[in-house]
Amino acid sequence: MNASAMGTSPASASPPGLDWPPAVEIVNEAGASSFLLLCEHASCHIPAEYGRLGLSQSEVRRHIGWDIGAAEVARGLATRLDAPLFLGTYSRLLIDLNRPVGEPSSIPERSEATDIPGNIDLSPAERQRRVDRMFTPFHDAVARHLDQRAGRPTILVTLHSFTPVYHGVARPWHAGILFARSKAYGERIVSRLGREAGLVVAANEPYQIAADGDYAIPVHGEARGHEAILIEIRHDEILDRAGVEAWVHRLASALVEQP
């Protein structure tokens, strides 16, 4: 279902208002920590004019629409570490802030086993509109912050969550630490978390960092010479306050532990 089929023409709709929040929420920007936190999939918000992209509200609130629990963990870490935090404010179904623009997964026509009717047969103008309103402002804000802290030690950490079951296959990990160039640092974090009895943490699971499938780590981290890791937590671990607090505590401890 394209925009006209849903009875709206997003490319000519009214300018941002209450239903169009700023593309980035910045928390504790003046934080003194060497850590910089990002949570690109913090929200499942879709402006009303998009008609939920042809999906039900329950579908949008599934994992396909955002990273369940990730924002709460990120906020807790920002407080514990005194770290700046940048959160996305729109559903990744509109445009994924952690995918290079132009990649098929940037504006998905299908997510896991769910078709996204409102993303099919999009005009170039509508694709560019999402880039201009959601993707570019978020990453420009992160880039400006990094420019301002040039010369200051920086470790980029992005917070995500993943589904316990994917295409019918159960995932055994409670969390994964993803990295590319930051191999030594990433493996130290895996080792520290792995000391907790019963906790299953793996390197580069359930995904891997790739130039065509990730944006923040290659662009804001590696290209600037910073240590950079992506933390994935299985979302059934962080569905309630107790789970969130437990992961904030263990991640904060692992991140700040001296080598």
Side-chain angles (χ1 to χ4, degrees):
M1 185 186 303
N2 59 27
S4 60
M6 289 188 288
T8 182
S9 179
S12 60
S14 59
L18 293 178
D19 202 29
W20 284 86
V24 57
E25 178 188 354
I26 305 175
V27 175
N28 194 31
E29 187 169 16
S33 173
S34 59
F35 293 100
L36 171 60
L37 307 178
L38 305 187
C39 187
E40 300 99 312
H41 304 151
S43 174
C44 61
H45 175 66
I46 298 176
E49 67 184 66
Y50 284 103
R52 292 195 302 263
L53 300 173
L55 301 172
S56 68
Q57 182 66 13
S58 62
E59 287 178 313
V60 171
R61 293 192 63 81
R62 286 174 46 222
H63 192 82
I64 63 171
W66 58 336
D67 276 0
I68 297 169
E72 288 76 14
V73 174
R75 292 179 190 278
L77 274 179
T79 299
R80 286 285 298 270
L81 300 175
D82 189 23
L85 166 64
F86 291 69
L87 302 108
T89 60
Y90 291 92
S91 173
R92 62 178 169 197
L93 293 175
L94 287 164
I95 188 166
D96 195 318
L97 298 180
N98 194 39
R99 300 290 186 273
V101 172
E103 291 293 331
S105 57
S106 169
I107 301 178
E109 295 184 0
R110 185 176 179 86
S111 182
E112 296 183 19
T114 303
D115 291 326
I116 316 300
N119 285 346
I120 296 172
D121 296 329
L122 290 183
S123 69
E126 171 56 22
R127 290 181 177 276
Q128 189 61 46
R129 183 196 197 217
R130 298 187 195 184
V131 172
D132 293 343
R133 285 196 173 183
M134 304 169 202
F135 186 92
T136 299
F138 179 90
H139 288 292
D140 280 357
V142 174
R144 282 194 300 271
H145 179 81
L146 285 165
D147 289 344
Q148 291 165 3
R149 60 190 283 156
R152 172 179 164 186
T154 295
I155 300 172
L156 180 68
V157 177
T158 71
L159 281 302
H160 295 255
S161 68
F162 64 94
T163 56
V165 178
Y166 185 72
H167 288 301
V169 179
R171 288 160 152 176
W173 316 283
H174 297 109
I177 307 298
L178 281 57
F179 50 82
R181 295 181 187 174
S182 295
K183 184 175 186 293
Y185 180 71
E187 289 180 341
R188 284 202 301 272
I189 303 303
V190 172
S191 177
R192 292 168 186 174
L193 291 170
R195 294 198 294 256
E196 182 177 335
L199 196 67
V200 181
V201 180
N204 292 318
E205 294 288 359
Y207 309 109
Q208 296 184 349
I209 301 296
D212 62 351
D214 293 273
Y215 189 88
I217 297 298
V219 173
H220 296 308
E222 295 174 347
R224 289 175 177 261
H226 302 310
E227 297 280 21
I229 61 172
L230 187 156
I231 297 175
E232 288 272 5
I233 305 169
R234 202 175 68 198
H235 77 226
D236 60 336
E237 289 278 305
I238 48 176
L239 292 176
D240 57 24
R241 182 175 178 179
V244 168
E245 289 179 351
W247 273 99
V248 169
H249 173 76
R250 62 172 58 101
L251 288 175
S253 298
L255 289 169
V256 301
E257 182 180 322
Q258 295 300 311

